[in-house]
């Protein structure tokens, strides 16, 4: 969809600008965002955080992709 295309374009742009790695995070219950990151070739990494958002604590997981 649109978000997969947008994230993929952003990743390509960042690599063209010289970035070696792109990290993205999503709340662990946000399966749509997780699918977008996976479709863009990102892989889950060990980093996690608990983040307060709108008065609730959410577990955040991270994905990464490195320039080839």
């Amino acid at each position: 969809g649109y978000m997969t295309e947008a994230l993929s374009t952003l990743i390509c742009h960042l690599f063209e600008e010289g970035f070696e790695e792109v990290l993205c995070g999503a709340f662990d219950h946000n399966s749509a965002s997780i699918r977008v990151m996976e479709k863009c070739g990102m892989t889950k990494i060990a980093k996690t955080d608990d983040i307060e958002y709108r008065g609730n604590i959410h577990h955040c997981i991270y994905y990464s992709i490195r320039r080839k």
Side-chain angles (χ1 to χ4, degrees), residues 2-38:
Y2 292 111
M3 289 312 299
T4 302
E5 185 176 333
L7 180 58
S8 180
T9 300
L10 177 60
I11 290 169
C12 288
H13 176 73
L14 290 171
F15 288 160
E16 288 170 0
E17 291 295 315
F19 286 84
E20 295 294 324
E21 182 177 23
V22 177
L23 297 174
C24 293
F27 297 144
D28 63 353
H29 54 81
N30 188 339
S31 58
S33 291
I34 291 168
R35 273 194 314 274
V36 167
M37 292 185 287
E38 290 172 344

